[in-house]
């Protein structure tokens, strides 16, 4: 039956009724191991008691008041999140794209403050920053942009991991005000940016007064084994955006800033009706508390290594596999050819996985996954790939 929904998604023929931990159950009662967490959102898995308690208790008191007034849960979450990320302050929106929009606006203001009338932001090939007009313009994927021209201007595209190209842009474009990148490109296939590249980009940013802005919408909140991926490689950003895992499914996005960048956006220059409302912030606080209390960053690092070890052992001699990579619980298994069919085959086998960039199986399991579940996931994925032809 056709629904009244706009047909913007190619959906798989399954409906989930409930979940528990790393498992989801469909309306027929079938159980699935969740290797994708609603695209990196359900960091604590499904129906985590700490999140359930936080949002039910908050709903019982106050769901929304407005940013016309002070919101104590928002202030508490701001303190926890910025402390965790090593940043100074934060603006809350409702999604990853909105977090990036805030960063883009902040960068443009940074330019105008210095008299740069046409400020430009350097973005990378293969980047994904969202689906709003500015963020799809920043995205390095023509499929996402096609049909939505005119694109938003003010973005300069650079190849990833090419520091010479970045240096050339710096030498030739006095209007650049910021560099925006995902430390690990998720949507284009779990492409880990070289640490040397990121650290050299930091130097270029500092030398040219560019803001180093990291899109950690997917890599943040413990996903890669450190609270934020930049911390895992000793990289200090001026702006960090995040969203996905922060609310465990309750919509929330955050744009954090540090140092001079933290004083750029002033009163009346940005806003959101829903952003940082009491309900979303209660969920965010429960997530951050649980990540700390249950050492989920360390668990993500350990379980990620275990999953990669099992995959490597099981797929070592497999001619279909080109590369196994990633950090923490953000893992990509790149095959030699496109493998979108694996998603439906996984579903049949009771395994929820995703394919990114055409040929890379992407795993983003909940950070609460234990050793036995990690082995089950890795063995299941390896079997799928072995049987793929
Ligand atoms: C998912 C994602 C976004 C967009 O987030 P939405 O919540 O869908 O707007 C932006 N950047 C990255 C790196 C993402 O993975």
């Amino acid at each position: 039956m056709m629904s009244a929904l706009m047909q913007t998604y190619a959906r798989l023929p399954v409906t989930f009724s409930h979940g528990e931990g790393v498992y989801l159950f469909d309306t027929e009662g079938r159980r699935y191991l969740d290797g994708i967490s609603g695209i990196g959102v359900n960091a604590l898995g499904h129906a985590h008691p700490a999140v359930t308690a936080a949002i039910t208790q908050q709903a019982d008191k106050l769901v929304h008041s407005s940013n016309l007034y002070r919101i104590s849960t928002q202030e508490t979450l701001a303190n926890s999140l910025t402390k965790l990320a090593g940043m100074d302050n934060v603006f809350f929106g409702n999604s990853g794209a909105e977090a990036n929009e805030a960063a883009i606006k902040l960068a443009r203001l940074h330019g105008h403050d210095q008299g740069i009338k046409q400020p430009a932001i350097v973005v990378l090939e293969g980047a994904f920053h969202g689906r709003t007009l500015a963020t799809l313009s920043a995205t390095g994927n023509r499929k996402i942009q096609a049909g939505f021209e005119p694109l938003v201007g003010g973005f300069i595209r650079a190849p990833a991991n090419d520091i010479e190209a970045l240096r050339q842009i710096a030498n030739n474009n006095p209007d650049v005000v910021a560099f925006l990148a995902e430390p690990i490109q998720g949507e284009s296939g779990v492409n880990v940016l070289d640490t040397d590249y990121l650290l050299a980009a930091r130097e270029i940013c500092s030398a040219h007064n560019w803001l180093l802005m990291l899109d950690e919408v997917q890599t943040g909140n413990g996903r890669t084994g450190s609270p934020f991926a930049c911390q895992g490689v000793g990289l200090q950003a001026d702006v960090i955006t995040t969203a996905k895992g922060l609310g465990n499914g309750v919509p929330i996005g955050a744009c954090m800033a540090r140092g001079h960048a933290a004083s750029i956006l002033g009163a009346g220059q940005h806003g959101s009706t829903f952003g940082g409302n009491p309900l979303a912030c209660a969920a965010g606080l429960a997530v951050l508390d649980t990540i700390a209390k249950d050492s989920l960053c360390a668990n993500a690092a350990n379980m990620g290594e275990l999953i990669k070890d099992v995959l490597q052992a099981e797929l070592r001699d497999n001619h279909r596999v080109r590369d196994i990579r990633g950090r923490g619980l953000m893992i990509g298994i790149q095959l030699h050819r496109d493998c979108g069919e694996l998603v439906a085959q996984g579903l049949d086998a009771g395994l929820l996985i995703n394919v990114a960039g055409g040929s890379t199986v992407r795993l983003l399991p909940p950070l609460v996954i234990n050793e036995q579940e990690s082995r089950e996931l890795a063995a299941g994925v390896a079997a799928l790939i072995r049987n793929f032809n």
Side-chain angles (χ1 to χ4, degrees):
M1 194 189 70
M2 285 292 283
S3 73
L5 294 165
M6 284 194 191
Q7 299 298 303
T8 57
Y9 302 103
R11 297 175 194 269
L12 292 160
V14 62
T15 305
F16 298 111
S17 60
H18 62 287
E20 194 187 330
V22 298
Y23 293 100
L24 275 172
F25 298 84
D26 72 12
T27 44
E28 323 269 82
R30 211 174 152 219
R31 190 179 86 155
Y32 301 80
L33 177 59
D34 190 356
I36 190 66
S37 311
I39 319 184
V41 167
N42 299 100
L44 305 188
H46 302 279
H48 192 285
V51 178
T52 305
I55 61 183
T56 52
Q57 280 162 25
Q58 186 59 48
D60 210 32
K61 287 191 290 190
L62 184 71
V63 172
H64 177 84
S65 50
S66 163
N67 289 305
L68 292 170
Y69 315 106
R70 290 183 67 169
I71 298 171
S72 65
T73 45
Q74 191 183 113
E75 292 178 22
T76 311
L77 180 62
N79 288 338
S80 302
L81 184 63
T82 53
K83 194 164 163 220
L84 188 66
M87 303 299 279
D88 290 335
N89 59 17
V90 56
F91 173 86
F92 288 111
N94 311 284
S95 67
E98 279 181 70
N100 288 333
E101 287 275 345
I104 292 163
K105 285 180 68 175
L106 190 156
R108 286 185 168 196
L109 265 182
H110 172 61
H112 284 278
D113 287 348
Q114 303 161 66
I116 298 174
K117 297 206 168 55
Q118 299 285 323
I121 299 170
V122 179
V123 288
L124 296 180
E125 287 170 7
F128 180 79
H129 297 300
R131 299 278 197 158
T132 61
L133 277 173
T135 59
L136 76 81
S137 301
T139 290
N141 179 347
R142 272 304 294 161
K143 270 194 209 150
I144 285 171
Q145 298 172 336
F148 303 109
E149 296 83 1
L151 300 181
V152 173
F155 295 105
I156 296 176
R157 185 81 45 202
N161 289 327
D162 183 343
I163 201 65
E164 257 331 296
L166 199 61
R167 218 165 260 138
Q168 288 219 349
I169 290 171
N171 292 336
N172 297 323
N173 300 73
D175 287 347
V176 174
V177 293
F179 170 73
L180 171 65
E182 302 150 90
I184 303 175
Q185 296 183 331
E187 299 305 302
S188 64
V190 193
N191 297 312
V192 184
L193 292 196
D194 298 340
T195 299
D196 288 351
Y197 173 74
L198 288 170
L199 296 177
R202 169 72 272 179
E203 285 184 19
I204 292 177
C205 288
S206 299
H208 294 268
N209 197 22
W210 299 356
L211 299 176
L212 177 68
M213 310 206 294
L214 294 178
D215 178 347
E216 296 231 27
V217 169
Q218 191 166 149
T219 53
N221 312 297
R223 170 63 51 195
T224 68
S226 45
F228 288 85
C230 56
Q231 295 163 324
V233 296
L235 176 67
Q236 180 63 256
D238 301 301
V239 173
I240 298 175
T241 59
T242 194
K244 289 192 166 90
L246 182 55
N248 215 55
V250 181
I252 185 166
C255 173
M256 295 180 271
R258 181 180 162 275
H260 173 65
S263 63
I264 293 173
L265 277 165
Q269 289 183 307
H270 198 43
S272 164
T273 298
F274 297 127
N277 83 14
L279 187 76
C281 290
L285 271 173
V287 169
L288 294 189
D289 285 350
T290 305
I291 286 175
K293 184 170 67 67
D294 295 348
S295 306
L296 293 182
C297 286
N299 192 63
N302 295 334
M303 293 304 110
E305 284 311 305
L306 173 65
I307 291 169
K308 273 190 290 189
D309 284 350
V310 173
L311 287 169
Q312 250 133 21
E314 300 228 359
L315 295 171
R316 182 174 297 130
D317 302 319
N318 194 293
H319 64 280
R320 294 185 187 87
V321 177
R322 187 165 154 188
D323 190 25
I324 298 172
R325 57 177 177 257
R327 200 174 295 138
L329 289 171
M330 183 167 183
I331 297 169
I333 306 122
Q334 185 174 19
L335 305 192
H336 282 288
R337 69 172 177 90
D338 282 4
C339 58
E341 310 97 289
L342 279 175
V343 174
Q345 292 171 14
L347 192 71
D348 286 343
L351 215 53
L352 304 180
I353 59 165
N354 172 253
V355 168
S359 60
T360 301
V361 175
R362 176 172 51 165
L363 302 179
L364 299 167
L367 309 186
V368 297
I369 196 167
N370 67 26
E371 184 173 335
Q372 186 218 313
E373 295 156 348
S374 295
R375 288 187 187 282
E376 182 186 340
L377 177 63
V381 170
L384 275 181
I385 292 172
R386 273 199 308 268
N387 295 326
F388 180 59
N389 44 50

